[in-house]
């Protein structure tokens, strides 16, 4: 597609539950990025993929967060045992090699 | 790693005035500098970008300047309109490396009619 598609738009989970977010990158883009944006607007980088391979995961809190980009499937970001501080908007972006990132509409995750 | 500082954090202007947002970066290897506009509740959208082989780029009312020696770049918006109100983010990246841009903390631009 011509746009990065993220689902769901809004996800509500109780503290301790699992949350799974999806992202379909733009066709032909080889890089996928996940960011967390909290109230203060700052983008926190989580993880990036080059095709289905993890490229950089220095931002991932690995004990609860995991992500995948498998061939012919949307990419996913999964949070186990969610905490209140996980409440944020999670953006996915994709880019061609050396090109600008194109963002999805984000998934608003609310942990109650 | 790269560190990007963005100023001001909030900018309030009257319609028709110009607005300037400034960013500095620390990694001299960075060579790609995009600017994103994010309206409330929406996705960040690329509005202009510049690569290190040029010093200035213009697109209608928006321009970006880059000073590689001083490691700073700026976004200039002329004849501002209320619809320019949004949060603007600068970023710096080194496409030859990890491709991961480092973002500034954002500038909330408010254009008063």
């Amino acid at each position: 597609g011509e746009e990065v598609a993220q689902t769901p738009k809004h996800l509500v989970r109780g503290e301790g539950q699992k949350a799974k977010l999806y992202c379909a990158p733009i066709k032909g883009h080889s890089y996928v990025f996940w960011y967390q944006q909290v109230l203060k607007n700052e983008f926190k980088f989580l993880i990036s993929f080059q095709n289905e391979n993890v490229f950089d995961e220095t931002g991932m809190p690995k004990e609860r967060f995991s992500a995948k980009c498998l061939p012919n499937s949307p990419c996913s970001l999964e949070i186990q045992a969610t905490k209140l501080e996980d409440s944020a908007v999670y953006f996915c972006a994709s880019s061609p090699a050396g090109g600008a990132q194109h963002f999805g509409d984000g998934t608003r995750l609310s942990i109650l | 790693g790269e560190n990007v500082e963005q100023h001001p954090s909030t900018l309030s202007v009257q319609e028709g005035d110009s607005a300037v947002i400034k960013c500095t970066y620390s990694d001299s290897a960075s060579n790609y500098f995009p600017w994103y506009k994010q309206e409330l509740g929406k996705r960040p959208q690329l509005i202009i970008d510049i690569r290190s082989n040029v010093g200035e780029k213009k697109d209608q009312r928006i321009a970006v300047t880059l000073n590689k020696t001083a490691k700073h770049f700026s976004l200039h918006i002329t004849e501002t309109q209320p619809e320019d109100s949004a949060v603007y983010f600068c970023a710096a990246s080194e496409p030859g490396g990890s491709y991961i841009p480092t973002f500034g903390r954002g500038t909330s631009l408010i254009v008063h009619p």
Side-chain angles (χ1 to χ4, degrees):
Chain A
E2 291 300 313
E3 285 194 341
V4 175
Q6 284 190 251
T7 55
K9 289 192 187 305
H10 193 184
L11 185 60
V12 181
R13 288 287 180 266
E15 198 173 5
Q17 292 185 320
K18 183 175 73 176
K20 196 164 185 178
L21 292 59
Y22 297 91
C23 168
I26 293 173
K27 222 172 187 180
H29 284 191
S30 50
Y31 288 86
V32 172
F33 307 79
W34 284 99
Y35 295 92
Q36 180 192 58
Q37 187 179 41
V38 292
L39 285 174
K40 287 206 165 189
N41 290 324
E42 291 180 49
F43 283 97
K44 182 190 172 190
F45 167 74
L46 296 175
I47 190 169
S48 65
F49 289 83
Q50 183 179 17
N51 299 311
E52 61 266 25
N53 303 308
V54 174
F55 194 80
D56 190 314
E57 56 183 345
T58 50
M60 283 284 270
K62 289 184 192 170
E63 60 277 5
R64 297 186 299 109
F65 285 58
S66 62
K68 291 180 189 176
C69 274
L70 300 175
N72 304 313
S73 295
C75 297
S76 63
L77 176 69
E78 189 166 11
I79 309 172
Q80 304 284 345
T82 52
K83 299 181 179 181
L84 294 176
E85 61 259 34
D86 297 332
S87 295
V89 180
Y90 291 82
F91 282 100
C92 174
S94 71
S95 76
Q101 293 186 337
H102 296 255
F103 284 80
D105 285 331
T107 292
R108 180 174 297 279
L109 177 63
S110 300
I111 306 300
L112 306 177
Chain B
E2 176 66 279
N3 181 46
V4 176
E5 298 283 340
Q6 183 172 347
H7 298 280
S9 56
T10 306
L11 180 58
S12 187
V13 300
Q14 286 297 127
E15 184 177 0
D17 287 350
S18 294
V20 180
I21 302 169
K22 298 182 180 182
C23 290
T24 59
Y25 62 100
S26 59
D27 188 349
S28 56
S30 289
N31 58 5
Y32 176 62
F33 308 92
W35 285 88
Y36 289 87
K37 174 184 180 183
Q38 187 180 23
E39 295 176 58
L40 190 63
K42 297 197 174 176
R43 69 174 77 183
Q45 291 198 299
L46 178 74
I47 55 170
I48 196 167
D49 56 9
I50 192 167
R51 297 187 187 269
S52 59
N53 55 346
V54 298
E56 184 173 357
K57 185 174 176 181
K58 196 172 180 182
D59 182 3
Q60 299 182 338
R61 295 186 298 108
I62 293 172
V64 57
T65 57
L66 170 65
N67 183 327
K68 279 215 75 179
T69 305
K71 295 207 280 286
H72 67 71
F73 56 114
S74 301
L75 178 71
H76 304 253
I77 306 174
T78 57
E79 300 170 30
T80 52
Q81 300 165 3
E83 51 265 39
D84 294 330
S85 298
V87 179
Y88 291 80
F89 292 92
C90 64
S93 70
E94 182 201 352
S98 65
Y99 291 91
I100 299 163
T102 301
F103 284 85
R105 293 192 172 192
T107 295
S108 179
L109 173 64
I110 303 163
V111 180
H112 298 280

